[in-house]
Amino acid sequence: MIFTPTRIAGAWLIDPEPLHDERGHFARIVCQATFERHGLNARFVQQSVSRNTRAGILRGMHFQAGAAAEEKLVRATAGVVHDVILDLRRDSATYLQWQAFELSAQSQRAVYIPKGVAHGFQTLTALSEVFYQMTVPYSPQHSQGLRWDDPDIGIAWPDCEDRLISARDLALPTLAESAGVAPC
């Protein structure tokens, strides 16, 4: 695996190093010892899948706060998504900075998201699937988020004439409305 630090403190891109032969290829995508050598938690206790029916679906920006703050490993297992992370840790050198990545089934690239960093994505193809591995189980009472289009944050999303966003995500507060969220 190839670990590449991102602009967001503690977040990493992780690319497999496939071994190819006439059958195809084989690659490790998680190894606890290798993750630990990079200071990352690979003890994933919950795994989830987001299946998306068309291009233009936007989910985010989500995180779990307090005692349920989680690390996540996210990858596209079908299709292509525009994946975004946003640092909400007040004590971080990259506080309120965001970074976007293209994740695809073809590349098998993953992004490791530390505690206190919100996550969202927009589908770029039909029938995309995002696979999440989390270090803490989902906790509805700790589940929070920020508006995907908060002007004070300024995330640049791909243009989309027919974007689909859930009522829940449309009702998320802006940073100003949330009194400067600090998830952990």
Side-chain angles (χ1 to χ4, degrees):
M1 292 173 284
I2 301 167
F3 289 75
T4 306
T6 70
R7 244 188 5 247
I8 304 301
W12 293 76
L13 290 176
I14 302 169
D15 291 290
E17 290 185 284
L19 301 171
H20 296 275
D21 66 19
E22 65 278 359
R23 299 167 295 171
H25 79 261
F26 174 86
R28 287 184 311 146
I29 57 172
V30 174
C31 172
Q32 188 168 344
T34 305
F35 272 57
E36 286 176 356
R37 279 195 300 276
H38 287 85
L40 308 178
N41 182 2
R43 291 177 290 270
F44 301 113
V45 300
Q46 183 174 315
Q47 299 179 11
S48 300
V49 171
S50 171
R51 184 94 167 142
N52 305 282
T53 57
R54 66 176 183 83
I57 293 174
L58 192 143
R59 299 178 186 260
M61 297 296 295
H62 304 142
F63 61 93
Q64 287 197 170
E70 63 190 352
E71 291 109 345
K72 288 191 254 189
L73 185 65
V74 177
R75 75 179 66 249
T77 53
V80 183
V81 300
H82 177 82
D83 202 79
V84 178
I85 58 176
L86 166 64
D87 192 344
L88 296 174
R89 302 166 294 177
R90 285 192 182 138
D91 62 346
S92 171
T94 56
Y95 177 58
L96 296 183
Q97 292 181 32
W98 62 272
Q99 190 169 359
F101 314 96
E102 183 173 284
L103 302 181
S104 70
Q106 178 70 25
S107 74
Q108 299 180 338
R109 169 175 273 181
V111 61
Y112 183 90
I113 306 166
K115 292 178 182 180
V117 174
H119 173 256
F121 66 87
Q122 181 177 308
T123 60
L124 300 177
T125 60
L127 299 176
S128 63
E129 184 176 270
V130 177
F131 179 60
Y132 298 81
Q133 295 173 273
M134 287 83 60
T135 59
V136 175
Y138 175 70
S139 173
Q141 64 270 28
H142 293 94
S143 180
Q144 294 186 25
L146 289 175
R147 282 277 303 193
W148 65 280
D149 60 350
D150 185 331
D152 291 331
I153 297 170
I155 296 172
W157 294 96
D159 289 334
C160 182
E161 292 180 17
D162 192 24
R163 189 174 280 134
L164 179 60
I165 306 170
S166 72
R168 175 184 174 256
D169 284 356
L170 288 172
L172 290 172
T174 63
L175 188 65
E177 293 166 340
S178 67
V181 170
C184 56

